[in-house]
Amino acid sequence: MAENSHHHGDLRNALIDSALALLTEGGRESLTLRRAAARAGVSHAAPAHHFDGLEGLLHAVAARGFQVFSDLMRQERAARPADAQNQLLGITNGYLRFAAEHEALFNLIFSEPMKNSGDADLIAASNEAFQILSETCALFEPDPAGPFVNEIRVWSTVHGYAILRQFDRLRATPDSAVVPVDLVLPRLVPRQRD
Amino acid sequence: MAENSHHHGDLRNALIDSALALLTEGGRESLTLRRAAARAGVSHAAPAHHFDGLEGLLHAVAARGFQVFSDLMRQERAARPADAQNQLLGITNGYLRFAAEHEALFNLIFSEPMKNSGDADLIAASNEAFQILSETCALFEPDPAGPFVNEIRVWSTVHGYAILRQFDRLRATPDSAVVPVDLVLPRLVPRQRD
DNA sequence: CGCAAATCTTGACACCGTCAAGTTTTCTGT
DNA sequence: ACAGAAAACTTGACGGTGTCAAGATTTGCG
């Protein structure tokens, strides 16, 4: 039995949980190796045995973040009718909910240190999220210019929209209404069912 | 004459220059108050008299960044024919050149600490850049859904495109070609000249 | 010319990530 | 079952960071 100081049990996941809590409460700048360790009830050097420094912890948190991201998109998609237009709207709604309700996490997973990470878990989680959007785009006729164009058009648009919303740039004047996503998304043609 | 240690002359701008150089050379994480001070040949506490801490310096650097941003968009726009389609392509090209050639600066101006900054210079520089895109969108017929919709569609798309490119997500497979912006941008109808 | 304000320096503090070395627990092989 | 290796965690130290307080120097103004 692990009664005393050594051998926590599942410290790795406990540290990720602590890090996620810190991120949610105080944003990226308040997420610190030492703070995550302290919150997990462990010494400041303990995380080094489970992550490759701070960056390693951030990668693990980001991988977890992508899972939340995927879950939200799937959840919103499942809650709508099966036609292409509604399914796509579900995906974008999940995308935007994640950006709004997990802002710090959203900013983290698309931040500088996540590029070319090499972290296998992070890459897998990232690919999974991207595939969800991709398979939903497959409900539409492929763009004449190529098979991958629909994905990129939708994805670019909704991602840019999320960022612009963070900067409150989605209205003409401070008192006007926010332009809804529906009006911004490209209009794709649903695939013919024969 | 300022021969000796006190009174640099124009330390504020010198610090911004140093900060920009550090940012270009080593990314955001290598931009430090103390390093910027050292590069400007000044003590570590000197910046406090010109900026409100590190965040204040970042705001000033971001304001400078938005000016470079605006210059690039205007430059690319001026180098093209006067028709709406080409002018817009110039803008987006300037946008994407800035994202590629000043990557760290691009990431900085759209990063967390820049939201609701309250810094007057930063807000002004930001508005200026946004107006350049806006006035170019005015060459097209306004979207039936509202006067501001074109701007947001173009802007969301090109911004998302820039981010996706940073993560190398603009191709279906590692060996396939990058999907060009032209195919991704919404197709607007040029305004009728009577 | 004198003095207040602005500018910069020096020094200190707490916090940070990381490394080295030591201690405790678990695992493994026989 | 038990010794020794490996893994997990602690303690302590180091240099670097942002920030504050206090002092020194320069500028500018009345």
Side-chain angles (χ1 to χ4, degrees):
Chain A
M1 195 48 123
E3 180 57 43
N4 229 333
S5 43
H6 297 75
H7 278 85
H8 166 106
D10 189 13
L11 181 54
R12 191 187 143 90
N13 281 314
L15 285 170
I16 298 179
D17 290 341
S18 302
L20 265 168
L22 288 168
L23 199 62
T24 300
E25 293 168 7
R28 163 66 186 88
E29 69 177 11
S30 79
L31 166 49
T32 261
L33 262 184
R34 292 174 105 104
R35 282 220 264 253
R39 183 182 277 246
V42 109
S43 86
H44 66 265
H49 296 268
H50 298 276
F51 304 100
D52 186 13
L54 172 62
E55 195 168 85
L57 175 59
L58 293 180
H59 287 163
V61 172
R64 183 78 69 87
F66 267 112
Q67 292 169 12
V68 177
F69 191 21
S70 295
D71 288 346
L72 265 170
M73 286 194 288
R74 274 196 277 252
Q75 172 186 325
E76 286 283 333
R77 184 178 60 180
R80 279 158 213 264
D83 64 292
Q85 208 64 253
N86 273 299
Q87 292 279 290
L88 182 60
L89 217 66
I91 294 295
T92 64
N93 236 61
Y95 204 108
L96 295 174
R97 270 191 63 196
F98 180 70
E101 299 173 9
H102 304 86
E103 183 169 338
L105 197 49
F106 175 78
N107 290 330
L108 175 69
I109 72 177
F110 288 109
S111 70
E112 187 66 36
M114 302 303 136
K115 297 167 188 165
N116 310 104
S117 71
D119 184 299
D121 291 351
L122 176 55
I123 293 175
S126 159
N127 285 337
E128 184 192 354
F130 296 154
Q131 195 193 335
I132 295 174
L133 187 140
S134 193
E135 74 195 20
T136 306
C137 285
L139 301 176
F140 296 88
E141 288 290 343
D143 192 287
F148 203 52
V149 177
N150 277 350
E151 280 89 329
I152 296 184
R153 292 184 71 196
V154 170
W155 192 0
S156 288
T157 307
V158 63
H159 189 90
Y161 183 92
I163 302 293
L164 260 49
R165 193 171 62 176
Q166 286 190 356
F167 281 85
D168 194 26
R169 287 281 179 182
L170 289 182
R171 40 173 126 243
T173 64
D175 47 312
S176 59
V178 166
V179 174
V181 223
D182 323 48
L183 303 179
V184 180
L185 287 176
R187 283 127 209 180
L188 309 179
V189 336
R191 195 184 278 274
Q192 278 302 90
R193 49 162 51 209
D194 55 313
Chain B
M1 197 47 129
E3 179 58 43
N4 227 336
S5 45
H6 296 76
H7 278 87
H8 166 106
D10 189 11
L11 181 55
R12 190 188 144 89
N13 282 314
L15 285 170
I16 297 178
D17 291 340
S18 303
L20 265 167
L22 289 168
L23 199 62
T24 300
E25 293 168 8
R28 163 67 187 87
E29 71 178 9
S30 79
L31 166 50
T32 259
L33 261 184
R34 290 173 106 106
R35 281 222 264 254
R39 184 182 277 247
V42 108
S43 86
H44 67 265
H49 296 268
H50 298 276
F51 304 100
D52 186 13
L54 172 62
E55 195 168 85
L57 175 58
L58 292 179
H59 287 161
V61 172
R64 182 80 68 89
F66 266 112
Q67 292 168 12
V68 177
F69 191 22
S70 294
D71 288 346
L72 265 171
M73 285 195 288
R74 274 195 279 252
Q75 171 187 325
E76 287 283 334
R77 185 177 59 179
R80 280 158 213 264
D83 65 290
Q85 208 64 252
N86 274 298
Q87 292 279 289
L88 181 61
L89 218 67
I91 294 295
T92 64
N93 236 60
Y95 204 108
L96 295 174
R97 270 192 62 197
F98 180 70
E101 298 172 10
H102 304 86
E103 184 169 338
L105 197 49
F106 176 78
N107 289 331
L108 175 68
I109 72 176
F110 288 109
S111 70
E112 187 66 37
M114 302 303 136
K115 297 167 189 165
N116 310 103
S117 72
D119 184 300
D121 291 351
L122 175 56
I123 293 173
S126 159
N127 285 337
E128 184 192 353
F130 297 155
Q131 196 193 337
I132 295 174
L133 186 142
S134 192
E135 75 196 16
T136 306
C137 285
L139 301 176
F140 295 86
E141 288 292 341
D143 192 286
F148 204 53
V149 176
N150 277 350
E151 279 89 330
I152 294 185
R153 293 184 70 197
V154 170
W155 193 0
S156 289
T157 307
V158 62
H159 189 90
Y161 183 91
I163 301 293
L164 261 48
R165 193 171 61 176
Q166 286 190 354
F167 282 84
D168 194 26
R169 288 280 179 181
L170 289 183
R171 39 174 126 242
T173 66
D175 46 311
S176 59
V178 167
V179 174
V181 223
D182 321 50
L183 302 180
V184 181
L185 287 175
R187 283 128 208 180
L188 310 179
V189 336
R191 196 184 277 272
Q192 279 299 89
R193 50 160 51 210
D194 56 314

mmCIF file with all atom_site columns, all heavy atoms in Angstrom, chain B residues 141-152:
data_model
loop_
_atom_site.group_PDB
_atom_site.id
_atom_site.type_symbol
_atom_site.label_atom_id
_atom_site.label_alt_id
_atom_site.label_comp_id
_atom_site.label_asym_id
_atom_site.label_entity_id
_atom_site.label_seq_id
_atom_site.pdbx_PDB_ins_code
_atom_site.Cartn_x
_atom_site.Cartn_y
_atom_site.Cartn_z
_atom_site.occupancy
_atom_site.B_iso_or_equiv
_atom_site.pdbx_formal_charge
_atom_site.auth_seq_id
_atom_site.auth_comp_id
_atom_site.auth_asym_id
_atom_site.auth_atom_id
_atom_site.pdbx_PDB_model_num
ATOM 1  N N   . GLU B 1 141 ? -19.843 43.596 -53.958 1.00 0.00 ? 141 GLU B N   1
ATOM 2  C CA  . GLU B 1 141 ? -21.224 43.762 -53.528 1.00 0.00 ? 141 GLU B CA  1
ATOM 3  C C   . GLU B 1 141 ? -21.355 43.254 -52.101 1.00 0.00 ? 141 GLU B C   1
ATOM 4  O O   . GLU B 1 141 ? -20.846 42.168 -51.772 1.00 0.00 ? 141 GLU B O   1
ATOM 5  C CB  . GLU B 1 141 ? -22.163 42.953 -54.441 1.00 0.00 ? 141 GLU B CB  1
ATOM 6  C CG  . GLU B 1 141 ? -22.333 43.532 -55.836 1.00 0.00 ? 141 GLU B CG  1
ATOM 7  C CD  . GLU B 1 141 ? -23.098 44.851 -55.824 1.00 0.00 ? 141 GLU B CD  1
ATOM 8  O OE1 . GLU B 1 141 ? -23.785 45.125 -54.816 1.00 0.00 ? 141 GLU B OE1 1
ATOM 9  O OE2 . GLU B 1 141 ? -22.986 45.602 -56.810 1.00 0.00 ? 141 GLU B OE2 1
ATOM 10 N N   . PRO B 1 142 ? -22.016 44.004 -51.235 1.00 0.00 ? 142 PRO B N   1
ATOM 11 C CA  . PRO B 1 142 ? -22.196 43.521 -49.864 1.00 0.00 ? 142 PRO B CA  1
ATOM 12 C C   . PRO B 1 142 ? -23.040 42.256 -49.857 1.00 0.00 ? 142 PRO B C   1
ATOM 13 O O   . PRO B 1 142 ? -23.939 42.102 -50.684 1.00 0.00 ? 142 PRO B O   1
ATOM 14 C CB  . PRO B 1 142 ? -22.924 44.677 -49.172 1.00 0.00 ? 142 PRO B CB  1
ATOM 15 C CG  . PRO B 1 142 ? -23.508 45.489 -50.263 1.00 0.00 ? 142 PRO B CG  1
ATOM 16 C CD  . PRO B 1 142 ? -22.617 45.324 -51.457 1.00 0.00 ? 142 PRO B CD  1
ATOM 17 N N   . ASP B 1 143 ? -22.730 41.376 -48.934 1.00 0.00 ? 143 ASP B N   1
ATOM 18 C CA  . ASP B 1 143 ? -23.504 40.152 -48.798 1.00 0.00 ? 143 ASP B CA  1
ATOM 19 C C   . ASP B 1 143 ? -24.946 40.511 -48.460 1.00 0.00 ? 143 ASP B C   1
ATOM 20 O O   . ASP B 1 143 ? -25.189 41.433 -47.672 1.00 0.00 ? 143 ASP B O   1
ATOM 21 C CB  . ASP B 1 143 ? -22.896 39.282 -47.693 1.00 0.00 ? 143 ASP B CB  1
ATOM 22 C CG  . ASP B 1 143 ? -23.456 37.882 -47.682 1.00 0.00 ? 143 ASP B CG  1
ATOM 23 O OD1 . ASP B 1 143 ? -24.615 37.720 -47.243 1.00 0.00 ? 143 ASP B OD1 1
ATOM 24 O OD2 . ASP B 1 143 ? -22.740 36.955 -48.110 1.00 0.00 ? 143 ASP B OD2 1
ATOM 25 N N   . PRO B 1 144 ? -25.913 39.796 -49.063 1.00 0.00 ? 144 PRO B N   1
ATOM 26 C CA  . PRO B 1 144 ? -27.331 40.086 -48.769 1.00 0.00 ? 144 PRO B CA  1
ATOM 27 C C   . PRO B 1 144 ? -27.639 40.032 -47.277 1.00 0.00 ? 144 PRO B C   1
ATOM 28 O O   . PRO B 1 144 ? -28.560 40.694 -46.811 1.00 0.00 ? 144 PRO B O   1
ATOM 29 C CB  . PRO B 1 144 ? -28.079 38.982 -49.510 1.00 0.00 ? 144 PRO B CB  1
ATOM 30 C CG  . PRO B 1 144 ? -27.104 38.321 -50.414 1.00 0.00 ? 144 PRO B CG  1
ATOM 31 C CD  . PRO B 1 144 ? -25.729 38.717 -50.018 1.00 0.00 ? 144 PRO B CD  1
ATOM 32 N N   . ALA B 1 145 ? -26.862 39.251 -46.533 1.00 0.00 ? 145 ALA B N   1
ATOM 33 C CA  . ALA B 1 145 ? -27.169 39.073 -45.113 1.00 0.00 ? 145 ALA B CA  1
ATOM 34 C C   . ALA B 1 145 ? -26.736 40.261 -44.264 1.00 0.00 ? 145 ALA B C   1
ATOM 35 O O   . ALA B 1 145 ? -27.131 40.370 -43.107 1.00 0.00 ? 145 ALA B O   1
ATOM 36 C CB  . ALA B 1 145 ? -26.491 37.809 -44.596 1.00 0.00 ? 145 ALA B CB  1
ATOM 37 N N   . GLY B 1 146 ? -25.944 41.161 -44.838 1.00 0.00 ? 146 GLY B N   1
ATOM 38 C CA  . GLY B 1 146 ? -25.529 42.311 -44.048 1.00 0.00 ? 146 GLY B CA  1
ATOM 39 C C   . GLY B 1 146 ? -24.270 42.938 -44.588 1.00 0.00 ? 146 GLY B C   1
ATOM 40 O O   . GLY B 1 146 ? -23.531 42.318 -45.355 1.00 0.00 ? 146 GLY B O   1
ATOM 41 N N   . PRO B 1 147 ? -23.970 44.142 -44.170 1.00 0.00 ? 147 PRO B N   1
ATOM 42 C CA  . PRO B 1 147 ? -22.859 44.906 -44.742 1.00 0.00 ? 147 PRO B CA  1
ATOM 43 C C   . PRO B 1 147 ? -21.490 44.434 -44.266 1.00 0.00 ? 147 PRO B C   1
ATOM 44 O O   . PRO B 1 147 ? -20.493 44.674 -44.916 1.00 0.00 ? 147 PRO B O   1
ATOM 45 C CB  . PRO B 1 147 ? -23.144 46.326 -44.257 1.00 0.00 ? 147 PRO B CB  1
ATOM 46 C CG  . PRO B 1 147 ? -23.906 46.143 -42.989 1.00 0.00 ? 147 PRO B CG  1
ATOM 47 C CD  . PRO B 1 147 ? -24.693 44.879 -43.146 1.00 0.00 ? 147 PRO B CD  1
ATOM 48 N N   . PHE B 1 148 ? -21.429 43.748 -43.156 1.00 0.00 ? 148 PHE B N   1
ATOM 49 C CA  . PHE B 1 148 ? -20.141 43.404 -42.572 1.00 0.00 ? 148 PHE B CA  1
ATOM 50 C C   . PHE B 1 148 ? -19.770 41.941 -42.830 1.00 0.00 ? 148 PHE B C   1
ATOM 51 O O   . PHE B 1 148 ? -18.701 41.484 -42.443 1.00 0.00 ? 148 PHE B O   1
ATOM 52 C CB  . PHE B 1 148 ? -20.197 43.680 -41.064 1.00 0.00 ? 148 PHE B CB  1
ATOM 53 C CG  . PHE B 1 148 ? -18.863 43.909 -40.450 1.00 0.00 ? 148 PHE B CG  1
ATOM 54 C CD1 . PHE B 1 148 ? -17.990 44.849 -40.971 1.00 0.00 ? 148 PHE B CD1 1
ATOM 55 C CD2 . PHE B 1 148 ? -18.463 43.183 -39.337 1.00 0.00 ? 148 PHE B CD2 1
ATOM 56 C CE1 . PHE B 1 148 ? -16.754 45.054 -40.404 1.00 0.00 ? 148 PHE B CE1 1
ATOM 57 C CE2 . PHE B 1 148 ? -17.226 43.387 -38.757 1.00 0.00 ? 148 PHE B CE2 1
ATOM 58 C CZ  . PHE B 1 148 ? -16.370 44.329 -39.296 1.00 0.00 ? 148 PHE B CZ  1
ATOM 59 N N   . VAL B 1 149 ? -20.633 41.231 -43.510 1.00 0.00 ? 149 VAL B N   1
ATOM 60 C CA  . VAL B 1 149 ? -20.451 39.790 -43.655 1.00 0.00 ? 149 VAL B CA  1
ATOM 61 C C   . VAL B 1 149 ? -19.259 39.452 -44.562 1.00 0.00 ? 149 VAL B C   1
ATOM 62 O O   . VAL B 1 149 ? -18.489 38.524 -44.273 1.00 0.00 ? 149 VAL B O   1
ATOM 63 C CB  . VAL B 1 149 ? -21.742 39.132 -44.180 1.00 0.00 ? 149 VAL B CB  1
ATOM 64 C CG1 . VAL B 1 149 ? -21.519 37.648 -44.434 1.00 0.00 ? 149 VAL B CG1 1
ATOM 65 C CG2 . VAL B 1 149 ? -22.876 39.345 -43.193 1.00 0.00 ? 149 VAL B CG2 1
ATOM 66 N N   . ASN B 1 150 ? -19.094 40.200 -45.638 1.00 0.00 ? 150 ASN B N   1
ATOM 67 C CA  . ASN B 1 150 ? -17.956 39.941 -46.526 1.00 0.00 ? 150 ASN B CA  1
ATOM 68 C C   . ASN B 1 150 ? -16.632 39.996 -45.771 1.00 0.00 ? 150 ASN B C   1
ATOM 69 O O   . ASN B 1 150 ? -15.793 39.106 -45.900 1.00 0.00 ? 150 ASN B O   1
ATOM 70 C CB  . ASN B 1 150 ? -17.926 40.986 -47.649 1.00 0.00 ? 150 ASN B CB  1
ATOM 71 C CG  . ASN B 1 150 ? -18.861 40.614 -48.788 1.00 0.00 ? 150 ASN B CG  1
ATOM 72 O OD1 . ASN B 1 150 ? -19.394 39.507 -48.827 1.00 0.00 ? 150 ASN B OD1 1
ATOM 73 N ND2 . ASN B 1 150 ? -19.062 41.544 -49.706 1.00 0.00 ? 150 ASN B ND2 1
ATOM 74 N N   . GLU B 1 151 ? -16.441 41.042 -45.029 1.00 0.00 ? 151 GLU B N   1
ATOM 75 C CA  . GLU B 1 151 ? -15.203 41.210 -44.278 1.00 0.00 ? 151 GLU B CA  1
ATOM 76 C C   . GLU B 1 151 ? -14.923 39.993 -43.411 1.00 0.00 ? 151 GLU B C   1
ATOM 77 O O   . GLU B 1 151 ? -13.823 39.452 -43.392 1.00 0.00 ? 151 GLU B O   1
ATOM 78 C CB  . GLU B 1 151 ? -15.281 42.451 -43.368 1.00 0.00 ? 151 GLU B CB  1
ATOM 79 C CG  . GLU B 1 151 ? -15.017 43.766 -44.061 1.00 0.00 ? 151 GLU B CG  1
ATOM 80 C CD  . GLU B 1 151 ? -16.299 44.366 -44.616 1.00 0.00 ? 151 GLU B CD  1
ATOM 81 O OE1 . GLU B 1 151 ? -17.205 43.577 -44.969 1.00 0.00 ? 151 GLU B OE1 1
ATOM 82 O OE2 . GLU B 1 151 ? -16.385 45.594 -44.679 1.00 0.00 ? 151 GLU B OE2 1
ATOM 83 N N   . ILE B 1 152 ? -15.943 39.594 -42.682 1.00 0.00 ? 152 ILE B N   1
ATOM 84 C CA  . ILE B 1 152 ? -15.751 38.503 -41.726 1.00 0.00 ? 152 ILE B CA  1
ATOM 85 C C   . ILE B 1 152 ? -15.492 37.191 -42.437 1.00 0.00 ? 152 ILE B C   1
ATOM 86 O O   . ILE B 1 152 ? -14.679 36.383 -41.988 1.00 0.00 ? 152 ILE B O   1
ATOM 87 C CB  . ILE B 1 152 ? -16.973 38.405 -40.786 1.00 0.00 ? 152 ILE B CB  1
ATOM 88 C CG1 . ILE B 1 152 ? -17.025 39.676 -39.944 1.00 0.00 ? 152 ILE B CG1 1
ATOM 89 C CG2 . ILE B 1 152 ? -16.878 37.187 -39.895 1.00 0.00 ? 152 ILE B CG2 1
ATOM 90 C CD1 . ILE B 1 152 ? -18.085 39.663 -38.899 1.00 0.00 ? 152 ILE B CD1 1
#
